[in-house]
């Protein structure tokens, strides 16, 4: 029995380190799997957060884009109104420039020393700038 006890002790002590190695390998493998699962979970959380951030950024950029487009529309309308007003003012300026030129021509003829050989006197002319006189064939003023 002593020999069988010795074998038995030897066998149990010999198998014990293998079981311990197998058990510690199993524990290491289990811990590695748990660590990998946790790492994958953290990775999924990071990806979801990144996706949520991108969706929020898209929403903000769309809002900014709408505001910019609205501002462009308003500015374009304001520009068109200013262009129309500028056109009207240019036309008025042209008309007033022509009127002024005509009035200056009348004044030059009135103040001219050779005004139709004294046919009229400057004081006798009724001067109304809105009813411009007609010129007769000799270049003198004719008020009809």
């Amino acid at each position: 029995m002593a020999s069988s006890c010795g074998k038995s002790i030897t066998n149990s002590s010999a198998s014990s380190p293998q079981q311990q190695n197998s058990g510690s390998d199993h524990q290491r493998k289990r811990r590695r799997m748990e660590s990998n699962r946790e790492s994958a979970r953290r990775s999924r959380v990071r990806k979801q957060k990144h996706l949520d951030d991108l969706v929020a950024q898209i929403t903000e950029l769309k809002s900014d884009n709408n505001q910019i487009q609205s501002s462009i529309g308003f500015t374009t309308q304001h520009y068109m109104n200013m262009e129309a007003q500028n056109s009207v003012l240019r036309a008025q300026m042209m008309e007033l420039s022509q009127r002024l030129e005509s009035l200056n021509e009348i004044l030059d003829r009135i103040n001219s020393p050779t005004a139709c050989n004294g046919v009229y006197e400057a004081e006798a002319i009724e001067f109304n700038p809105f009813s411009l006189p007609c010129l007769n064939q000799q270049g003198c003023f004719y008020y009809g």
Side-chain angles (χ1 to χ4, degrees):
M1 278 202 132
S3 68
S4 80
C5 276
K7 278 187 179 179
S8 164
I9 293 173
T10 310
N11 281 345
S12 72
S13 62
S15 67
S16 179
Q18 283 178 349
Q19 286 177 351
Q20 286 176 352
N21 280 344
S22 174
S24 67
D25 285 345
H26 180 70
Q27 267 188 328
R28 259 187 270 143
K29 187 176 183 180
R30 191 173 52 89
R31 276 185 274 158
R32 191 178 325 117
M33 283 176 54
E34 286 177 20
S35 174
N36 287 346
R37 281 188 191 127
E38 183 60 26
S39 177
R41 185 190 68 76
R42 285 191 309 262
S43 177
R44 284 191 302 273
V45 167
R46 275 194 312 271
K47 282 182 183 179
Q48 185 63 46
K49 184 184 179 321
H50 183 65
L51 181 64
D52 292 344
D53 290 345
L54 289 175
V55 168
Q57 187 178 11
I58 287 171
T59 303
E60 184 179 340
L61 290 173
K62 281 183 178 181
S63 174
D64 290 349
N65 193 23
N66 287 338
Q67 287 177 346
I68 290 169
Q69 285 179 343
S70 175
S71 177
I72 287 172
F74 175 77
T75 303
T76 301
Q77 185 63 40
H78 186 67
Y79 171 79
M80 297 293 241
N81 290 340
M82 290 294 111
E83 275 294 316
Q85 287 179 359
N86 204 9
S87 246
V88 167
L89 291 172
R90 279 192 186 115
Q92 288 175 350
M93 183 188 72
M94 292 292 290
E95 181 184 340
L96 290 173
S97 292
Q98 289 172 352
R99 248 187 188 163
L100 179 63
E101 188 178 327
S102 294
L103 291 173
N104 282 335
E105 285 177 13
I106 292 170
L107 286 175
D108 286 346
R109 289 192 184 264
I110 290 173
N111 293 329
S112 168
T114 60
C116 295
N117 299 323
V119 170
Y120 66 91
E121 293 183 17
E123 300 90 37
I125 299 176
E126 292 181 28
F127 184 70
N128 184 352
F130 297 105
S131 63
L132 297 175
C134 301
L135 295 176
N136 68 9
Q137 293 177 359
Q138 288 87 21
C140 295
F141 289 104
Y142 172 73
Y143 292 93

